[in-house]
Amino acid sequence: QVQVVESGGGLVQAGGSLTLSCTTSGTSSIASSGWYRQAPGKQRELVTSIESGGETTYADFVKGRFTISRDNAKNTVYLQMNSLKPEDTAVYYCNVQTFRTFGRNMYWGQGTQVTVSS
């Protein structure tokens, strides 16, 4: 019943900006939300996350350039990407974790392609 859907990917020149959106349906018990990315031939890596209390974390390679935010009324989390670099090119995935009596359930979106040209 829980669905996670990303949108907003596309082609942008180096130095440009892009905003990704991730909308979750089917739950009101979100523990955390985050963005991961995976480039061809590489492992999926954490970009940023936000906890239910609002605490955020960022990978070193995006600090000062990317910002995660959320709109609880819309069940949507955003990734504002500024000063994009060619090495940011990847498929970006939204990850949502929901509360359980113990532990968490985890859900992934389908991914959205971000391509940064030189």
Side-chain angles (χ1 to χ4, degrees), residues 49-116:
S49 65
I50 184 167
E51 301 295 320
S52 60
E55 183 176 318
T56 59
T57 61
Y58 293 93
D60 287 342
F61 54 82
V62 302
K63 286 182 178 177
R65 300 190 298 125
F66 293 6
T67 303
I68 188 170
S69 62
R70 67 186 180 193
D71 185 334
N72 290 332
K74 297 181 179 180
N75 291 324
T76 299
V77 62
Y78 304 94
L79 180 63
Q80 177 65 51
M81 309 165 68
N82 298 323
S83 302
L84 283 162
K85 305 174 181 179
E87 50 263 46
D88 294 320
T89 296
V91 177
Y92 284 71
Y93 297 91
C94 184
N95 174 264
V96 175
Q97 298 183 25
T98 60
F99 288 113
R100 302 186 71 182
T101 52
F102 75 94
R104 299 176 177 182
N105 281 337
M106 183 181 293
Y107 303 91
W108 292 94
Q110 82 287 352
T112 184
Q113 177 70 47
V114 173
T115 302
V116 184

Side-chain angles (χ1 to χ4, degrees), residues 4-56:
V4 179
V5 180
E6 308 102 326
S7 63
L11 175 64
V12 65
Q13 294 183 14
S17 298
L18 207 59
T19 300
L20 307 182
S21 298
C22 171
T23 299
T24 301
S25 62
T27 183
S28 299
S29 302
I30 296 176
S32 66
S33 301
W35 291 95
Y36 290 71
R37 71 186 188 186
Q38 187 167 22
K42 297 183 179 180
Q43 295 189 140
R44 190 172 299 185
E45 61 185 353
L46 174 67
V47 177
T48 179
S49 65
I50 184 167
E51 301 295 320
S52 60
E55 183 176 318
T56 59

